Amino acid sequence: METIKNDVKSFTPVDWMLIIGAASLFLPHVISVVLLSVICFIAFLKYDILKDIFAQKGKAVTYSFFLLEVIVSLVYKNWIGAGIMMSFFLLVIYIAFYREHISQKVFAYILDISLILSCVVCVYALFQFNQISVTNGYKFTDFHIFNSPKRRIYGTFQNANIFALMLEFMLAVCLYRFLQTKQFLLKVWYVVIALFQFSVLFLTGCRAALVPLIFVIPILLGMNGFKKLLGLYLVCIVALLVVVFNYPKLIPRFNDFSTIANRVKIWRTAIKGIKLYPLFGNGPWTYFHIYQRFHGHKAVFCHNIYLDCISCFGLVGTALFLGYVKTLIDHVRSVRKENRFFYSLVLSILAIVLIHGFVDGTINPLKTNVFLLMILSSDKMFLKK
């Protein structure tokens, strides 16, 4: 407790800005955007954020991508897409400031505060679950999970799937912190948080969220030399899979394939859109902008980050976007030898995004994007003296 007090006293105003920025991700979307905007504005006035922006590697590709997609969105009158690109601009500026000022101590506090706040959101989500159950003629203890996204818990996020993605991130962070600490009580604390959040993840009804977790645990255990725990995990996962395939009702909506059929329709429509606009797309939310033209299934995006990227940005925009992603990955690879724990956390977070992204839009929402880029942009703290 004394250590925490001393750490809190040592935090600078910039440290507090980064902590508040991370904490805002668990607030409603509008409040989060406002707080991040205020932080960037203060950083512009007092902390020379322009210097941080110019220090960004790959900035030419990054801001070329932003400018191109704003123009494309405006040309096709995709006003929502233009607004999303403005939020992307805010995101990139905030991350530039974050990367230059994050420290290992503040990073550790950000992770722990995120875990605590996500638990608060989970408690709120349980009240949502009770309200949804009672409204539709069920008891809370029936644990009935509806197929309709509008009748599933979402916490303070836009929908159940985005909430599930953030919970996946938190579970990866739980294991990362569990493996890092040598204190028994802290290990127990992280296990309790993980079990609670996994239970709430289960109640979101997001089946796609369960698949990446199968791979996250081996990444963190295997890369950090926990061979016995890895062996135990493999035995447990095989046993669990046997149980699930024999008792499929244990997984909510396990045998419901209606949403998969809808996704196939969406993907077919997205491919038609790509053929029509192969070079530049229509900007973010292109699918929402064009689905009626092809009599497609109504949706905001393609429910597949790979199709969605080409659909929204076209081949040219996608190439620029991949250039930005490559810059981030190059940053992280530079600290592989410095801190394998951190490197394994990055790989586990990326695995979640890339696997879950086959059937969902994991790189679309601002708040999950901010958390993802915070992790990917924390490499510099290991290179500071």
Side-chain angles (χ1 to χ4, degrees):
M1 203 59 190
E2 193 64 31
T3 302
I4 295 175
K5 289 181 180 179
N6 292 333
D7 286 342
V8 169
K9 288 179 181 178
S10 71
F11 287 159
T12 66
V14 171
D15 293 337
W16 282 114
M17 288 166 67
L18 298 181
I19 290 171
I20 291 169
S24 75
L25 305 181
F26 299 91
L27 298 173
H29 180 77
V30 174
I31 298 175
S32 179
V33 172
V34 170
L35 284 174
L36 291 174
S37 300
V38 169
I39 290 171
C40 289
F41 184 67
I42 294 172
F44 175 75
L45 292 178
K46 297 187 65 176
Y47 298 105
D48 196 9
I49 195 173
L50 291 177
K51 184 176 70 175
D52 301 334
I53 293 171
F54 286 119
Q56 282 181 300
K57 293 181 179 179
K59 55 184 176 292
V61 172
T62 304
Y63 293 103
S64 295
F65 168 72
F66 164 74
L67 182 61
L68 172 66
E69 293 309 319
V70 168
I71 293 172
V72 169
S73 298
L74 294 176
V75 166
Y76 289 106
K77 298 181 180 179
N78 179 2
W79 312 124
I80 295 176
I84 290 172
M85 287 313 300
M86 294 308 297
S87 70
F88 173 80
F89 184 60
L90 169 67
L91 167 64
V92 173
I93 290 176
Y94 175 75
I95 291 299
F97 176 68
Y98 172 92
R99 184 171 186 268
E100 294 299 317
H101 296 279
I102 190 65
S103 66
Q104 293 187 48
K105 180 168 66 175
V106 174
F107 181 72
Y109 275 92
I110 282 175
L111 293 185
D112 283 339
I113 290 170
S114 296
L115 289 175
I116 293 169
L117 291 178
S118 64
C119 284
V120 174
V121 175
C122 284
V123 172
Y124 172 60
L126 291 179
F127 283 99
Q128 287 180 341
F129 187 81
N130 182 66
Q131 185 178 14
I132 292 168
S133 299
V134 172
T135 302
N136 291 278
Y138 291 91
K139 297 178 182 178
F140 181 95
T141 50
D142 290 332
F143 297 115
H144 183 82
I145 299 171
F146 293 92
N147 190 43
S148 169
K150 295 181 180 178
R151 293 190 292 174
R152 286 165 30 211
I153 57 175
Y154 56 90
T156 56
F157 296 83
Q158 288 99 319
N159 60 53
N161 293 336
I162 298 171
F163 182 34
L165 176 64
M166 184 58 91
L167 290 177
E168 290 174 77
F169 288 162
M170 292 301 103
L171 288 170
V173 170
C174 268
L175 181 55
Y176 169 74
R177 297 293 283 158
F178 173 88
L179 296 175
Q180 267 191 325
T181 186
K182 295 180 180 179
Q183 298 182 40
F184 177 75
L185 290 179
L186 279 178
K187 285 185 179 293
V188 172
W189 165 248
Y190 291 124
V191 168
V192 170
I193 290 179
L195 291 174
F196 174 52
Q197 298 204 0
F198 182 77
S199 301
V200 176
L201 172 63
F202 211 70
L203 294 179
T204 65
C206 182
R207 294 164 295 182
L210 301 176
V211 178
L213 296 178
I214 297 174
F215 300 93
V216 165
I217 297 174
I219 290 172
L220 282 159
L221 293 178
M223 288 196 63
N224 295 295
F226 293 91
K227 295 180 180 179
K228 292 181 179 179
L229 282 177
L230 179 59
L232 178 62
Y233 165 78
L234 293 175
V235 171
C236 290
I237 199 66
V238 169
L240 181 62
L241 290 173
V242 170
V243 171
V244 167
F245 280 106
N246 282 283
Y247 302 95
K249 291 184 179 180
L250 291 173
I251 303 293
R253 305 169 59 236
F254 186 83
N255 289 327
D256 188 344
F257 299 105
S258 59
T259 55
I260 296 176
N262 289 337
R263 275 168 168 71
V264 172
K265 293 177 184 177
I266 291 170
W267 297 338
R268 288 174 178 169
T269 303
I271 291 171
K272 292 178 182 178
I274 291 170
K275 290 178 179 179
L276 188 62
Y277 303 104
L279 292 179
F280 302 107
N282 275 190
W285 278 30
T286 284
Y287 184 87
F288 184 73
H289 198 58
I290 57 102
Y291 79 90
Q292 289 179 318
R293 182 181 306 183
F294 299 104
H295 308 288
H297 184 81
K298 184 178 180 180
V300 172
F301 41 76
C302 299
H303 287 279
N304 179 297
I305 59 173
Y306 309 100
L307 278 178
D308 201 53
C309 196
I310 301 174
S311 172
C312 293
F313 309 136
L315 297 175
V316 177
T318 299
L320 291 172
F321 177 73
L322 291 177
Y324 174 59
V325 172
K326 181 181 180 301
T327 301
L328 294 172
I329 293 174
D330 287 344
H331 285 165
V332 174
R333 288 175 62 188
S334 67
V335 298
R336 180 178 180 180
K337 294 180 180 179
E338 298 287 336
N339 194 302
R340 290 186 68 84
F341 271 114
F342 172 73
Y343 188 68
S344 63
L345 174 64
V346 171
L347 292 184
S348 64
I349 294 293
L350 284 175
I352 289 170
V353 172
L354 296 176
I355 296 171
H356 194 155
F358 274 106
V359 291
D360 254 321
T362 52
I363 60 172
N364 287 298
L366 177 68
K367 294 196 292 183
T368 47
N369 247 332
V370 172
F371 188 84
L372 167 65
L373 290 182
M374 279 169 47
I375 299 296
L376 291 177
S377 303
S378 295
D379 58 292
K380 198 167 183 177
M381 65 185 180
F382 295 109
L383 304 177
K384 294 176 182 177
K385 293 183 180 179

